[in-house]
Amino acid sequence: MIYTLCFYLFAIITVLSAFMVISSRNPVHSVLYLILAFFNSAGLFVLLGAEFIAMIMVIVYVGAVAVLFMFVVMMLDIDFSELRRGFQKYLLIGGLIGLVLLAELALVGMGWGLGGPVTTDPATAIPALGTVTNTAALGSLLYTRYIFLFQMAGMILLVAMIGAIVLTHRKRPGVKKQNINKQVMRRRHEAYEIVKVKPGQGLG
Amino acid sequence: MADLLVEFFQWGFGVTLVPWLATLLGIVVGVLVIALPLLLAVAMSVYMDRKVWAGMQMRRGPNVVGPWGLMQSFADGLKLFLKETIIPASANKFIFLLAPALTFLLALVAWAVVPFDAGVVLSDINVGILYLFAISSLGVYGIILSGWASNSRYAFLGALRSAAQMVSYEVSIGFVLVTVLMTAGSLNLSDIVMAQKGQWFLFSPLLPMAVVFFISALAETNRPPFDLPEAEAEIVAGYQVEYSSMAFALFFLGEYANIILMCAMVSILFLGGWLPPLDWAPLYIIPGWIWFFGKIFVMFFLFAWVKATVPRYRYDQLMRLGWKVFLPLSLFWVVLTGALLLFTGKIPV
């Protein structure tokens, strides 16, 4: 009973807040609704017994990705009239894309209903959920059978990251930078010298 | 807890509780048993903090309200409670008030998975360490939201600094957690504590990670020397400059509850939680929760000590420490720990 109640609670809030993400006027509010949607989908994962994915969802999406969204959105200088003026212009093409997506969704939904039960075996048997935690089950699958795909995904992300850094990195002349190594390696004789100054003559 | 409540109601009122009601009541009672003493602990830790700084600066510290000034925090709390709540005219009202409540709430919910003794934990979940990490990574929202909603330059600057700082140090905290959970072989906090029986992780090759974790914890909780988000000398108090009365008090309470939580995390991850330092029978006469609270106390003293003695970091130094020192070090240590576990055949199954 509580399980069903929780499911409907999470599901309804997820859908509502997902709707609010696209319909709210203020972008910061949109990001906040997005966070709410993430949270409730994490709740749905917990209900499914996938606690690892639920926690990773919160850590990665809410704790990192949404923080960056927020960071960018907060700095925007929003002109609402500017935003609304484009609405008419993009209505047609936006509506078309929306229709295509809707059709695809409907097709997927129908295929689900019409295709009958899945008969092919899953790629690898996972151990019964009662015997290991699902973190262990996921780990033993990811790091053995799917290690190549897993590492590949990591590599692609790494390349993308380095690419982004290389593209945006520029050397500006005249910037003063602290070189900690240089400071620490400095010796006394490089820093100053003692000069005996004769009275009345100065250093010359 | 639920069975106990069923028995209690049977004995006291002669009514049998429905199982789901008993579970619900059990959780509520558990929450109260943790949250109320926590609030008291927060009040006392503020007092202790001030006394420690005072001692290190050869002052007396709070000594007027109550015996030895013990009631000082309560007097401060009462004063804050009686002040007027000021909401700036151009602030986003809802988010402005949401931010301190969120900070406080997050500081409290994290305690749900903290084990105080063997089996004494509100929710003994499989992924306890991830839960703690998730909750502590949400702490940044309270600060960002308050900075944005205040519609003030100082608050916004503080929020930006804080967001960048917390995101940077979370990365190395994440890697430190990975080394610990590889060594313990579990994500469950009780299992992590039990894996340290006889040898704390502090006295193992994880020692440098304990240091990294402690320093990152200082940065995560915005404590000196990493208190740039507040930086009262430059941006007057950063994200909390527009707050008054209870809204400010919630930030304050949340901050200290987070500090105590970080102390508890260090104790659990590296100081063996409720376990005594040696696996020696007479030491087990002292109850586990006393060991645990003692460790939290010592860690809190360290936090206060650092605040009293270390000057504030410059912003670029802070970023350098996080990204160029801690991140490579902790990443290297993940690989090293894995290799050590593999070659010594100590991989926990």
Side-chain angles (χ1 to χ4, degrees):
Chain A
M1 215 271 283
I2 293 181
Y3 184 89
T4 322
L5 265 180
C6 285
F7 170 75
Y8 281 110
L9 183 76
F10 289 143
I12 290 171
I13 297 180
T14 307
V15 173
L16 278 186
S17 52
F19 180 72
M20 289 305 287
V21 172
I22 50 171
S23 62
S24 77
R25 286 277 161 76
N26 192 331
V28 172
H29 290 176
S30 286
V31 178
L32 286 178
Y33 280 117
L34 187 66
I35 291 165
L36 194 61
F38 283 149
F39 247 109
N40 283 284
S41 27
L44 288 174
F45 276 121
V46 170
L47 285 184
L48 279 175
E51 73 247 0
F52 180 75
I53 296 181
M55 288 302 146
I56 291 298
M57 179 107 188
V58 175
I59 293 171
V60 173
Y61 285 101
V62 184
V65 174
V67 171
L68 295 183
F69 279 179
M70 192 74 126
F71 212 87
V72 174
V73 160
M74 274 194 328
M75 306 228 213
L76 293 178
D77 187 22
I78 310 141
D79 188 358
F80 289 109
S81 59
E82 189 74 22
L83 277 179
R84 244 170 275 159
R85 208 171 49 200
F87 187 74
Q88 297 270 328
K89 205 166 89 188
Y90 298 118
L91 185 63
L92 189 69
I93 190 144
L96 270 178
I97 294 174
L99 267 180
V100 170
L101 280 177
L102 193 69
E104 279 176 5
L105 264 180
L107 276 178
V108 168
M110 271 158 56
W112 191 287
L114 299 175
V118 180
T119 48
T120 49
D121 291 328
T124 309
I126 52 166
L129 278 179
T131 53
V132 290
T133 63
N134 63 47
T135 316
L138 258 178
S140 59
L141 209 58
L142 266 186
Y143 284 97
T144 52
R145 167 120 192 163
Y146 296 111
I147 182 69
F148 177 68
L149 295 172
F150 187 65
Q151 290 283 333
M152 211 52 181
M155 275 299 167
I156 291 172
L157 283 176
L158 184 69
V159 168
M161 189 184 83
I162 293 175
I165 293 173
V166 169
L167 283 179
T168 54
H169 188 76
R170 60 203 161 101
K171 271 217 156 12
R172 278 173 300 175
V175 177
K176 283 186 181 172
K177 264 194 176 167
Q178 184 179 22
N179 190 339
I180 307 264
N181 259 342
K182 216 166 137 191
Q183 286 180 347
V184 174
M185 295 301 287
R186 210 159 79 128
R187 290 291 160 259
R188 195 189 320 172
H189 62 86
E190 304 164 27
Y192 67 92
E193 55 179 319
I194 298 173
V195 184
K196 268 226 174 334
V197 183
K198 287 210 174 87
Q201 290 184 357
L203 275 178
Chain B
M1 185 63 91
D3 300 339
L4 217 69
L5 273 171
V6 169
E7 252 177 60
F8 174 75
F9 272 84
Q10 190 87 55
W11 169 79
F13 305 103
V15 281
T16 315
L17 283 180
V18 209
W20 66 267
L21 191 65
T23 315
L24 196 70
L25 269 179
I27 293 172
V28 170
V29 170
V31 167
L32 289 180
V33 164
I34 292 175
L36 295 182
L38 180 64
L39 290 182
L40 191 70
V42 166
M44 292 329 285
S45 65
V46 176
Y47 168 78
M48 175 182 160
D49 224 5
R50 293 177 65 179
K51 272 292 190 193
V52 171
W53 305 330
M56 289 188 187
Q57 297 162 357
M58 312 267 245
R59 293 183 287 115
R60 281 179 194 281
N63 64 349
V64 177
V65 191
W68 307 291
L70 272 173
M71 307 299 283
Q72 180 67 44
S73 301
F74 299 101
D76 288 345
L78 189 67
K79 189 191 79 175
L80 277 173
F81 188 69
L82 294 175
K83 295 270 180 189
E84 181 192 356
T85 307
I86 299 167
I87 299 176
S90 57
N92 188 317
K93 226 177 237 172
F94 179 72
I95 296 182
F96 185 79
L97 292 177
L98 176 77
L102 190 72
T103 305
F104 183 61
L105 190 83
L106 287 174
L108 288 188
V109 292
W111 286 87
V113 295
V114 172
F116 296 95
D117 200 342
V120 184
V121 48
L122 182 65
S123 168
D124 198 17
I125 59 176
N126 283 336
V127 287
I129 198 169
L130 286 180
Y131 175 83
L132 275 182
F133 188 54
I135 295 295
S136 72
S137 72
L138 296 184
V140 66
Y141 281 109
I143 294 171
I144 296 189
L145 290 181
S146 65
W148 180 77
S150 300
N151 215 340
S152 148
R153 286 174 184 78
Y154 292 127
F156 194 63
L157 277 176
L160 289 186
R161 285 182 179 187
S162 169
Q165 171 179 335
M166 291 176 94
V167 169
S168 315
Y169 280 82
E170 239 167 57
V171 184
S172 46
I173 283 194
F175 281 122
V176 173
L177 293 185
V178 170
T179 60
V180 169
L181 66 90
M182 275 203 302
T183 319
S186 172
L187 292 161
N188 179 300
L189 291 173
S190 303
D191 289 350
I192 289 174
V193 170
M194 286 320 284
Q196 302 177 55
K197 197 164 190 164
Q199 192 199 18
W200 295 355
F201 285 158
L202 186 69
F203 306 121
S204 74
L206 290 184
L207 173 67
M209 289 300 97
V211 177
V212 169
F213 188 85
F214 178 72
I215 298 174
S216 303
L218 289 173
E220 277 287 291
T221 49
N222 293 327
R223 284 282 283 195
F226 306 108
D227 59 341
L228 286 125
E230 290 180 36
E232 67 277 2
E234 320 150 24
I235 50 175
V236 284
Y239 61 94
Q240 33 180 265
V241 67
E242 301 289 346
Y243 284 86
S244 65
S245 183
M246 281 317 280
F248 173 76
L250 285 179
F251 268 127
F252 201 72
L253 290 174
E255 201 181 311
Y256 273 86
N258 263 330
I259 292 167
I260 302 177
L261 178 74
M262 280 297 174
C263 297
M265 273 181 84
V266 177
S267 322
I268 290 170
L269 296 177
F270 296 103
L271 303 178
W274 67 80
L275 294 172
L278 296 170
D279 197 14
W280 183 47
L283 286 174
Y284 284 96
I285 295 169
I286 303 171
W289 58 272
I290 292 187
W291 281 115
F292 186 55
F293 288 151
K295 286 165 190 172
I296 293 181
F297 188 84
V298 171
M299 290 316 297
F300 190 82
F301 179 78
L302 277 180
F303 266 70
W305 189 358
V306 171
K307 173 158 185 169
T309 48
V310 183
R312 182 179 300 141
Y313 259 48
R314 217 172 53 208
Y315 198 71
D316 61 321
Q317 292 172 331
L318 173 113
M319 284 297 163
R320 179 183 163 272
L321 186 69
W323 290 106
K324 292 190 178 169
V325 179
F326 283 177
L327 181 63
L329 182 67
S330 53
L331 194 56
F332 170 68
W333 225 264
V334 169
V335 177
L336 186 74
T337 312
L340 267 180
L341 287 173
L342 188 67
F343 289 121
T344 53
K346 279 185 180 166
I347 294 180
V349 183

